[in-house]
Amino acid sequence: MLGVISNIQRFTVHDGPGIRLTVFMQGCPLACWWCHNPESISYCDVKDAGDNLRFSVSELMKEIKKEQVFMDESSGGVTFSGGEPMMQAIFLEEILRACREEDIHTAIDTSGFVLSDAFHSLMDKPDLFLYDIKVINNTLHKKYTGASNILILENLRTLNKYRKNVIIRIPLVPGITNTKENIHDIKNLLLELPNIKKINLLPFHTIADGKYKRLNLENKMQGIRPESNANNVEIRSLFTEAGFETSLGA
Amino acid sequence: MNDRIKSLKEKSLNAEPYMSSQRAELVTEYYQSDEAKGLSIPVKRAMAFKHIMENKMLCVMKGELIVGERGLFPKSTPTFPEISLHSLTDLEQLNSREKQYFIVDEKAKNIYQEKIIPYWKGKTIRDRMFRKLSDEWKLAYEAGVFTEFLEQRAPGHTVLGKHSFKKGFLDLKTEIEEAKLKLDFCNDPNAFEKKEELIAMDLAADAIINFAKRHAARIEHIIKKESNPERLAELEIMRQNCLNVPANAPSTFWEALQHYWFIHQGVITELNPWDSFNPGRLDQHLHPFYTKEIEAGTLTKERAKELLMAFWIKFNNHPAPPKMGVTLKESSTYTDFSLINLGGVKEDGSDAVNDLTYIILDVIEEMRLLQPSSMVQLSKKNPDRFIKRAIKIIKTGFGQPSIFNTDAIIQELMRQHKSLEDARNGGASGCVETGAFGNESYILTGYFNLPKVLEITLNNGFDPRTKKTIGLKTGDPSTFKSFNELMTAFQKQLNYFVEIKITGNNSIERLYSKYLPVPFLSLLINDCIKNGIDYNSGGARYNTNYIQGVGLGSITDELTALKYHLFDQRTFTFRALKKALDADFKGANKMQEQLIEETPKYGNDDNYADDQARIVFDMYFKAIDGRPNTKGGSYRINMLPTTSHMYFGSVIGASPDGRNAKQPLSEGISPVQGADRNGPTSVLKSATKIDHIKTGGTLLNQKFAPQFLSNNEGITKLAQLVRSYFKLDGHHIQFNVVTADTLKKAQAEPQKYKDLIVRVAGYSDYFVDLTEELQNEIITRTAHEDMS
């Protein structure tokens, strides 16, 4: 079994606890306007689809284990991000099992847009879910991500039901996800899920502009400036006051 | 920082480096005197030292709390004509050169012309050295295969131990008397020489006591003119201090600092030991005085800080003495490398960090001075608070403190057969050099240019720059069938040059032993008094010689490129490569790009490349480690460059790693600039594939942008990164926190800053890969953070 991987990043420090290695897996069913990794959306990138991006489980484990001393020292681990890592469910399951055998902490950074069967089969495998919530209004969700959020919300309820370790990640995109209505909706949704207590707010930034230019892709966020910090802090207070353990920035 | 310290610091920062001829005059005067005739050399050296200390001009400045200047005033720096003599042309050059200049006035030039040059010409150690050294040595030296540390500076490279804070020089005089009584003139053929040495040490002790007393008299004179009652009270204590120390052991915190400072003056005036001298484990030495006085209510934390700040300024007043030629190139800095050690473990192995450690860290942060340098020794036993506090200072971006692995240092010293207690009392000095403080003479003898040896191997013994055959004929590399054959040839050349270097060292060491003993320094390092033998003749408990390997990253990438392209992939032939190298890649741009971009590189945790680092390191270790020196000790290796990687690069043509002719080599054990593309964890992994415990120090530099360290989480993770490196037995790491200025340079010259990582909003990237707009944003933000 081979995994298709767009990039491996070492010494990542914001994708879960400790010092981590992040595996960016290729392919994503969504196409969010603000995506920071537009090159990882298509299942097989036309330009870079060389064999060098395909890893077997043992090859990838070799790369992961190179970082073990740092993971041990910092209680870190490995994070599977993307793209949507759960799209490569079989490979992901195998690599998660291999990590568990080595006692390596694992996290999945997911959009939640995954078929229920696949989701159920993977649910017990990682130590942590970094679970993205973007827009609650489904019409708007479809507009900005290209897909419905029904599956996403259903999968989140499943994680809550089975008391999985989850950190909700909310990208604060100006005028799209950070609107009063949307923040209010997200808060109400999360209040219904008693086992979910942690939120990580991700301020919008323009770091991917260069990638869009380089890859000659349309950048729908062209000209949108990052929100003032005060606004983001206000949103954090809102969640904190509602009883969530909320961090801002990453 | 109060007004007094501000004003003293200002004076220090504004003072211009000035060459003083006074010491040269005094030492020449003594050597020419009738009194000097017929004395044994050690006694003559001690008497000359005494003559200087009893006659040199004193400097006590307004508001000072610690007194003693080597020159006439801050940054006034003497010369040492016994070792190497500045010519009139040298003096002109010193005065006019752009970097590391010294003002030389007409008076000094006249004194040199009339007195100093006529007397010392042909008699200096450097003259004697170059008369004795072999042609092979000179060829290799001129080609830039190695440098010679002792051509312009004396062996020194040692650090004060804790016993020196518990004894005064009157105590040492008693020890000398006891040692004299034990001399056995019947059965010990060296007893007569030992007696002379002990007499010399005794005279040197008198010299420093008298030097202090002269300061007491000078202060008494100032007291008569002072009207401010507060200052008067201070001056009276200072006068008492100069009468008490260093004759007796210090009894107060203030005395302890003044005591050390007189000792420092003595060591750096007697000769100009390389890597000056330093108090070593300062927080350990001072802690008993601090605690006692805080409990008694005779000292406040604020006063202790003020005294430490005054002490710091004294170091900054003392640039390294004027260097010339290759010595300047290998060490082009004013820094005299006094490296204050903090933290680590106590003699019993327990955590040594104490409340004074943190106070000294505060002082370092507030003073932000070039000198003294500072470092923290981090043991697995030290608390996280300690390393985090150090990182908070590092993030302010002035390169201090650097971080050392105590647990590795102890293993390194134990491997060299030091006792466990001596190892635990040790640390690092100079740049990164491991030593048993107070007990060891550990002489650095010169840098060794590893990539140059490969260049000579690839040219079958011929040096393309000096156009001379300087090495062995190890065969035409185009006939080599395998990579192993190439490595065998390289090893032969390596061993050949190491033997030339060591043969040269042996002859130079004898010269110092014979002509320039250091009775004053010998008083300080165990067991010179007990043995009746000078520091420069093997009197110390441990006597180690180092040859410092340079360019590990470069040679690893060069060998890897040869292995990969010539033997494994067969991308091109040796002849084609040689032609491109000879033409400095002109007309061979594609090949150069392949060598740079399509070749495994050291620094990426890739064994294909890192294996070569291991092989070269092991060869270098085997060539040197364990060979005897002339002082009853052994040769060891360490891996550090100071600034020699620039000089060594300048003598090498284009190289197989794609580097153009004359460009700098990699520094320390860091990867070639821009060759590491997988971030810091991979660099640390690559760097620990060599066995640091077999060295006496390695140097690793890492760049970081300050944003990463802007919050507690970043600081914690950097601390964890350091702890991980040390778990892997890494010896030392220093973080270069990148300033806005550097980022601007990176923007202008991206090819030189390919490895610069910046972190913004949770995402990390190579700075040069970012859009110009974003680069500007980061620059602005960094500039803002720099100011705050």
Side-chain angles (χ1 to χ4, degrees), chain B residues 438-505:
Chain B
N439 300 309
E440 183 176 17
S441 150
Y442 48 116
I443 311 300
L444 270 61
T445 65
Y447 297 109
F448 193 91
N449 192 344
L450 291 164
K452 184 76 194 175
V453 176
L454 179 62
E455 187 185 41
I456 289 161
T457 311
L458 295 180
N459 286 281
N460 195 11
F462 182 76
D463 175 35
R465 190 180 64 95
T466 56
K467 309 238 178 302
K468 287 176 188 161
T469 295
I470 66 164
L472 301 174
K473 293 226 177 276
T474 44
D476 173 2
S478 68
T479 65
F480 293 163
K481 300 274 181 306
S482 67
F483 182 65
N484 276 347
E485 233 177 288
L486 173 72
M487 289 312 292
T488 308
F490 172 77
Q491 188 167 24
K492 276 186 198 150
Q493 299 282 5
L494 178 70
N495 289 337
Y496 174 72
F497 287 113
V498 163
E499 282 177 11
I500 290 175
K501 174 67 180 152
I502 290 182
T503 308
N505 285 352

Side-chain angles (χ1 to χ4, degrees), chain A residues 43-158:
Chain A
Y43 182 71
C44 215
D45 191 291
V46 194
K47 271 172 75 187
D48 301 315
D51 283 342
N52 55 333
L53 288 175
R54 291 159 203 271
F55 280 84
S56 70
V57 170
S58 64
E59 280 164 351
L60 187 56
M61 275 315 286
K62 207 177 134 200
E63 292 306 311
I64 291 170
K65 280 168 73 177
K66 282 182 178 177
E67 305 298 298
Q68 216 162 359
V69 65
F70 307 102
M71 296 173 182
D72 287 351
E73 185 62 40
S74 66
S75 302
V78 53
T79 299
F80 297 92
S81 181
E84 171 51 62
M86 291 169 97
M87 265 181 93
Q88 301 183 48
I90 301 174
F91 179 79
L92 189 62
E93 192 178 339
E94 283 182 24
I95 191 82
L96 287 171
R97 189 186 303 128
C99 286
R100 185 158 287 182
E101 272 169 27
E102 296 286 343
D103 217 0
I104 293 170
H105 180 276
T106 53
I108 292 184
D109 181 11
T110 178
S111 68
F113 193 73
V114 183
L115 290 175
S116 298
D117 287 355
F119 196 84
H120 274 268
S121 73
L122 281 167
M123 196 172 57
D124 294 326
K125 304 294 185 295
D127 298 301
L128 171 68
F129 280 91
L130 305 171
Y131 202 98
D132 284 14
I133 293 294
K134 292 160 186 133
V135 185
I136 302 297
N137 179 318
N138 205 12
T139 316
L140 293 177
H141 193 275
K142 282 179 196 159
K143 177 180 171 189
Y144 292 119
T145 72
S148 156
N149 64 13
I150 291 176
L151 203 52
I152 296 173
L153 301 180
E154 185 192 308
N155 286 334
L156 182 61
R157 288 195 182 89
T158 309

Side-chain angles (χ1 to χ4, degrees), chain B residues 512-530:
Chain B
Y512 274 98
S513 169
K514 185 170 175 194
Y515 294 105
L516 290 181
V518 278
F520 182 73
L521 180 57
S522 304
L523 286 163
L524 305 167
I525 304 301
N526 293 328
D527 304 311
C528 294
I529 297 176
K530 201 171 96 187

Side-chain angles (χ1 to χ4, degrees), chain A residues 9-19 24 36-37 65-67 69-70 72-75 203 205-207 209-211 213-214 225-226 250, chain B residues 604-606 678 680-682 684-685 704 708 711 713 717-718 720-721 723-725 727-728 759-765 769-771 773-774 777:
Chain A
Q9 189 133 26
R10 291 154 208 276
F11 197 56
T12 54
V13 294
H14 297 294
D15 298 330
I19 296 173
F24 292 91
H36 290 151
N37 297 324
K65 280 168 73 177
K66 282 182 178 177
E67 305 298 298
V69 65
F70 307 102
D72 287 351
E73 185 62 40
S74 66
S75 302
H205 53 75
T206 55
I207 195 144
D209 283 8
K211 275 190 196 171
K213 264 183 212 156
R214 203 167 60 227
R225 303 304 308 160
Chain B
N604 296 294
D605 197 7
D606 175 355
N678 284 335
T681 55
S682 298
L684 303 189
K685 285 290 300 294
F704 261 91
F708 181 73
N711 60 20
E713 200 191 335
K717 287 190 176 163
L718 195 65
Q720 289 163 341
L721 195 72
R723 295 254 196 207
S724 306
Y725 184 55
K727 232 183 189 177
L728 298 170
R759 290 191 171 256
V760 209
Y763 183 86
S764 76
D765 209 343
D769 287 351
L770 301 173
T771 60
E773 197 187 355
L774 190 64
E777 191 188 315

Side-chain angles (χ1 to χ4, degrees), chain B residues 9-249:
Chain B
K9 183 181 169 190
E10 200 84 337
K11 253 184 220 157
S12 183
L13 291 175
N14 292 340
E16 278 200 276
Y18 170 89
M19 194 204 92
S20 156
S21 58
Q22 192 179 39
R23 183 194 174 281
E25 249 184 296
L26 288 168
V27 75
T28 309
E29 195 175 280
Y30 191 80
Y31 265 67
Q32 288 177 315
S33 70
D34 288 339
E35 192 184 294
K37 294 194 177 91
L39 295 179
S40 70
I41 290 177
V43 171
K44 185 156 96 174
R45 289 301 301 161
M47 288 300 288
F49 175 63
K50 199 156 171 269
H51 185 66
I52 299 166
M53 298 315 259
E54 288 175 353
N55 291 287
K56 73 182 282 287
M57 271 176 63
L58 299 184
C59 170
V60 177
M61 283 179 291
K62 204 179 149 210
E64 274 201 309
L65 295 168
I66 313 281
V67 293
E69 285 288 326
R70 167 160 71 169
L72 310 173
F73 41 79
K75 299 211 179 137
S76 156
T77 310
T79 53
F80 300 80
E82 311 98 297
I83 298 173
S84 97
L85 182 62
H86 291 89
S87 68
L88 291 177
T89 325
D90 288 345
L91 297 183
E92 284 296 337
Q93 218 192 84
L94 272 181
N95 193 39
S96 61
R97 70 194 186 197
E98 212 171 297
K99 298 274 168 71
Q100 281 83 45
Y101 70 88
F102 283 84
I103 293 170
V104 186
D105 59 25
E106 286 307 312
K107 193 179 148 236
K109 277 184 218 162
N110 289 338
I111 288 166
Y112 253 74
Q113 189 169 13
E114 283 159 25
K115 293 186 185 166
I116 316 293
I117 295 175
Y119 180 77
W120 289 104
K121 206 160 188 209
K123 290 196 204 78
T124 69
I125 283 278
R126 192 168 190 278
D127 292 330
R128 293 179 200 274
M129 197 184 283
F130 277 86
R131 282 199 294 269
K132 281 181 89 175
L133 289 163
S134 68
D135 289 342
E136 288 81 12
W137 189 97
K138 285 175 192 158
L139 284 174
Y141 173 81
E142 279 154 20
V145 177
F146 48 69
T147 66
E148 179 46 61
F149 256 41
L150 302 184
E151 62 154 294
Q152 292 179 31
R153 301 195 62 172
H157 221 293
T158 192
V159 174
L160 205 65
K162 62 178 193 175
H163 61 273
S164 291
F165 283 84
K166 294 176 181 161
K167 286 178 193 173
F169 283 79
L170 293 174
D171 302 315
L172 297 175
K173 281 171 74 77
T174 310
E175 286 179 23
I176 292 168
E177 282 318 305
E178 285 163 10
K180 273 193 201 157
L181 288 174
K182 283 186 192 148
L183 289 175
D184 181 348
F185 293 93
C186 178
N187 296 306
D188 180 356
N190 298 320
F192 289 98
E193 280 173 31
K194 288 179 180 173
K195 189 181 163 200
E196 288 301 309
E197 177 65 28
L198 288 167
I199 292 170
M201 289 185 198
D202 192 57
L203 288 164
D206 290 340
I208 203 72
I209 294 170
N210 292 348
F211 183 61
K213 279 189 188 155
R214 288 180 65 211
H215 280 86
R218 164 61 68 88
I219 293 167
E220 198 171 353
H221 189 69
I222 296 169
I223 287 175
K224 284 183 193 143
K225 288 188 271 175
E226 181 63 56
S227 54
N228 179 333
E230 236 174 277
R231 180 63 179 162
L232 264 175
E234 257 175 21
L235 285 165
E236 184 47 38
I237 298 174
M238 287 163 65
R239 192 183 72 84
Q240 273 304 329
N241 286 349
C242 296
L243 292 174
N244 292 349
V245 294
N248 306 291

Side-chain angles (χ1 to χ4, degrees), chain B residues 555-592:
Chain B
I555 191 156
T556 300
D557 286 356
E558 290 177 36
L559 289 169
T560 303
L562 294 169
K563 181 178 190 312
Y564 187 76
H565 292 293
L566 299 187
F567 299 104
D568 289 356
Q569 301 292 319
R570 298 185 182 273
T571 329
F572 29 76
T573 63
F574 178 75
R575 278 177 215 278
L577 174 68
K578 186 71 178 32
K579 202 177 143 206
L581 295 181
D582 290 344
D584 196 12
F585 295 115
K586 276 187 197 79
N589 295 347
K590 189 170 167 273
M591 184 188 284
Q592 186 177 20

Side-chain angles (χ1 to χ4, degrees), chain A residues 136 179-189 238-239:
Chain A
I136 302 297
T179 61
K180 274 208 168 89
E181 303 74 45
N182 192 45
I183 295 297
H184 181 78
D185 289 350
I186 294 178
K187 191 181 81 179
N188 285 347
L189 167 80
L238 217 111
F239 283 110

